[in-house]
Amino acid sequence: MIAVDGPAAAGKGTLARRLAERYGLRHLDTGLLYRAAALRLLRAGSDPAQAAAAAAAAAGVTDDDLADPALRDEDVGQAASVVAAHGAVREALLGLQRAFAARAPGAVLDGRDIGTVVCPDARVKLYLEASTEVRAARRLCELRSRGVESIDSRVLDEIMARDARDRRRSAAPLKPAADACSIDTSALDADEVFERAVAIVDSRLSSA
Ligand code: CDP
């Protein structure tokens, strides 16, 4: 079990996918669960800040929800971080994440609280960081590659707002686990991040 945590657009998804491929593990992008709960609420015209409605939406999330391309929209990401601050929502999504992690042959989960709350016993915990500007530039590229036009300052503001919400919430706030290895990806490309992560995973596996 490998945990990959970090703030928005730090490169968690790309790294987690590649690690899963390398070590023959399954991969779960746990952000999609919060996004799916948020999308259900937005489509129903409900307020993501309402805890009871948000918990009910989270309880209804199934695998089928996770393939919707609309999940990647930036307004869904913002709503997801509002939804994710409710303890009842996190509780509703915990069983699903732990069940995924427990199934053979093992898994890579990426998110915000994998090493701290979801899988505190993970064999390897990685925490990806990058400067806010670098992360905003990456998110802009990602949006453009999907044909979505946005402006730099707006993407930067959205990332900062989401980071602040994720770090300050009382339920499972975004922070590195005490035993996580941090990688600052600001000056690294995806291959370099992958190489560093593989070196960390291999050294953990050989010492276990
Ligand atoms: O892809 P990106 O890093 O932009 O976001 P994401 O991983 O899809 O997560 C969307 C939102 O879900 C985050 O801003 C968090 O508020 C929330 N989330 C969380 O609270 N815990 C997780 N394990 C994963 C995501």
Side-chain angles (χ1 to χ4, degrees):
M1 162 69 215
I2 302 176
V4 182
D5 288 305
K12 304 180 300 290
T14 306
L15 175 64
R17 246 189 321 277
R18 291 182 70 176
L19 287 175
E21 214 171 278
R22 165 87 171 214
Y23 295 99
L25 302 169
R26 292 147 59 249
H27 169 227
L28 178 63
D29 170 356
T30 64
L32 287 181
L33 302 172
Y34 294 90
R35 286 173 181 265
L39 189 56
R40 279 178 170 247
L41 288 167
L42 294 176
R43 285 189 174 151
S46 306
D47 180 1
Q50 294 280 321
V61 169
T62 67
D63 288 353
D64 292 343
D65 290 358
L66 307 185
D68 194 326
L71 293 177
R72 286 276 152 226
D73 293 350
E74 210 47 22
D75 61 329
V76 177
Q78 288 294 339
S81 80
V82 174
V83 162
H86 301 298
V89 166
R90 308 201 71 83
E91 198 58 46
L93 295 174
L94 199 54
L96 204 149
Q97 295 173 80
R98 286 190 173 149
F100 188 96
R103 245 176 282 142
V108 184
L109 268 64
D110 75 88
R112 302 288 187 290
D113 62 339
I114 308 304
T116 51
V117 176
V118 178
C119 301
D121 298 329
R123 188 91 164 263
V124 185
K125 298 180 186 178
L126 301 169
Y127 189 84
L128 298 193
E129 264 296 0
S131 72
T132 317
E133 289 70 23
V134 165
R135 292 188 288 116
R138 285 183 190 154
R139 184 50 44 97
L140 201 61
C141 275
E142 199 181 312
L143 290 170
R144 290 205 171 123
S145 74
R146 286 170 38 214
V148 181
E149 277 311 319
S150 196
I151 46 171
D152 300 27
S153 59
R154 195 172 149 222
V155 173
L156 186 67
D157 287 349
E158 282 176 349
I159 284 202
M160 284 167 68
R162 201 137 66 83
D163 280 359
R165 223 178 279 129
D166 290 349
R167 290 196 163 103
R168 284 189 208 136
R169 69 184 178 216
S170 56
L174 167 66
K175 62 172 182 203
D179 52 350
C181 291
S182 291
I183 305 176
D184 188 332
T185 72
S186 302
L188 304 176
D189 65 23
D191 286 343
E192 291 167 326
V193 176
F194 179 62
E195 280 159 25
R196 288 196 192 195
V198 165
I200 293 168
V201 175
D202 287 347
S203 84
R204 286 289 166 102
L205 294 183
S206 63
S207 67

